[in-house]
Amino acid sequence: MDIEDKKIAILLPCYNESLTIAKVVHDYREAFPSADIYVYDNNSTDGTDEIARQAGAIVRYEYQQGKGNVVRSMFKDIDADVYIMADGDDTNPPVPEMAQMILDGKCDMVIGDRLSSTYFTENKRPFHNTGNRLVRTLINHLFKVNVKDIMTGSRAFSYAFVKTYPVLSQGFEIETEMTIHAAAHHLSMEEVPVDYRDRPEGSESKLNTFSDGAKVLKTIARLFKEYKPTVFFDIFALIFLLIAISFGVPVFQAYFKTGLVERFPTLIFAGVMLIIAILLWITGVILQVIVKKDLQMFELIWIRTKREKTH
């Protein structure tokens, strides 16, 4: 399918990227001549918006701080056949192949994989690469996928993905949420190796390794609970069951030997632990039924959205 005949939206969320935004806009204009390039300014104080406007971008504003809030506004406001999202820090060079894969119907989200070619230069800050590996391992194991670069901001989306994706995260954990959303709803994802450029001198990352890392891990735990409640609650049910057994078995052993229950508080404690374990297991079963119904509703909405776009 000819990319020139389709409406392409370049989405650039920005916060204080005055040093790089003009070059990013020019690079994407050169790679996608017919595209609409949107810069969503997120309370910048360094004139990012004016520089982007002078470079030829369509500038809009999101006043709620956080990348997730910016992405929510972008997805809500803009209609296009293909959406290309990149960071405004000039670390994500344009990759036209990503848009072509969406247009050809090969997938619903294309992930720009920085790590396959530039793993050791991805980030020089201590613990950052370790955190990325931890997040990647957790998501791949919990949601049965094989994504190499979870945290990349270089992505492409179909219309159906954008219009059916409920953005819940507010900050940099948005990339994690996107990946889990696609995995949990069985949406097709593909990865394309992309170059990764270091920020120019004077440009600083807005990421905080520990606070943002904690938010990402919290997001994974929340979404694991929401999409796989049976497994989530079964883990805790098993813990409480083991506690009940470890405290209750000695009491019953003594009872069968002597005919007496000498440790009533221990027996009561074990009974409470057993009841909690049963309640947790039942909670997981009930929530799994709700999740299944939600997935069925999503499928119907997805089909309708795809049909609306094709017609």
Side-chain angles (χ1 to χ4, degrees), residues 228-241 273-289:
K228 295 181 178 290
T230 299
V231 179
F232 181 87
F233 283 97
D234 280 356
I235 291 172
F236 290 97
L238 179 60
I239 293 172
F240 279 92
L241 178 61
M273 294 296 102
L274 179 61
I275 291 172
I276 293 175
I278 294 172
L279 290 175
L280 286 168
W281 174 72
I282 292 173
T283 299
V285 172
I286 293 173
L287 290 177
Q288 191 63 49
V289 173

Side-chain angles (χ1 to χ4, degrees), residues 91-165:
T91 58
N92 309 134
V95 184
E97 179 187 356
M98 297 172 71
Q100 194 63 57
M101 291 175 69
I102 296 293
L103 287 174
D104 291 343
K106 293 181 178 179
C107 52
D108 297 295
M109 178 170 66
V110 183
I111 300 172
D113 173 19
R114 306 161 298 173
L115 305 186
S116 292
S117 57
T118 56
Y119 179 78
F120 292 103
T121 61
E122 180 208 356
N123 201 296
K124 297 180 177 63
R125 285 179 292 171
F127 307 114
H128 199 85
N129 286 337
T130 301
N132 279 348
R133 286 194 294 270
L134 173 62
V135 170
R136 182 172 70 245
T137 300
L138 282 173
I139 291 178
N140 285 340
H141 280 81
L142 293 177
F143 294 93
K144 310 301 180 186
V145 292
N146 184 27
V147 178
K148 299 182 182 68
D149 192 354
I150 302 291
M151 310 299 291
T152 179
S154 177
R155 296 173 185 251
F157 311 97
S158 67
Y159 174 87
F161 184 99
V162 166
K163 296 305 179 182
T164 58
Y165 168 47

Side-chain angles (χ1 to χ4, degrees), residues 187-220:
L187 305 182
S188 55
M189 295 182 286
E190 294 288 344
E191 288 188 286
V192 173
V194 298
D195 292 331
Y196 182 84
R197 298 190 288 232
D198 287 332
R199 283 173 169 267
E201 185 176 353
S203 176
E204 297 182 358
S205 173
K206 315 306 185 297
L207 278 170
N208 181 288
T209 300
F210 295 103
S211 63
D212 287 313
K215 291 177 183 178
V216 168
L217 293 176
K218 183 179 178 181
T219 298
I220 294 173

Side-chain angles (χ1 to χ4, degrees), residues 162-190:
V162 166
K163 296 305 179 182
T164 58
Y165 168 47
V167 180
L168 302 177
S169 297
Q170 295 183 332
F172 283 104
E173 62 271 26
I174 183 68
E175 285 93 357
T176 301
E177 185 185 85
M178 287 176 178
T179 305
I180 294 176
H181 170 78
H185 292 90
H186 309 292
L187 305 182
S188 55
M189 295 182 286
E190 294 288 344

Side-chain angles (χ1 to χ4, degrees), residues 47-81:
T48 295
D49 54 343
E50 286 304 319
I51 295 172
R53 189 175 288 110
Q54 292 172 12
I58 302 169
V59 178
R60 294 181 180 177
Y61 298 89
E62 172 52 54
Y63 298 104
Q64 292 188 82
Q65 197 65 42
K67 188 175 181 179
N69 293 321
V70 177
V71 172
R72 182 185 300 109
S73 292
M74 287 176 161
F75 284 6
K76 177 184 66 176
D77 296 344
I78 300 170
D79 291 332
D81 297 302

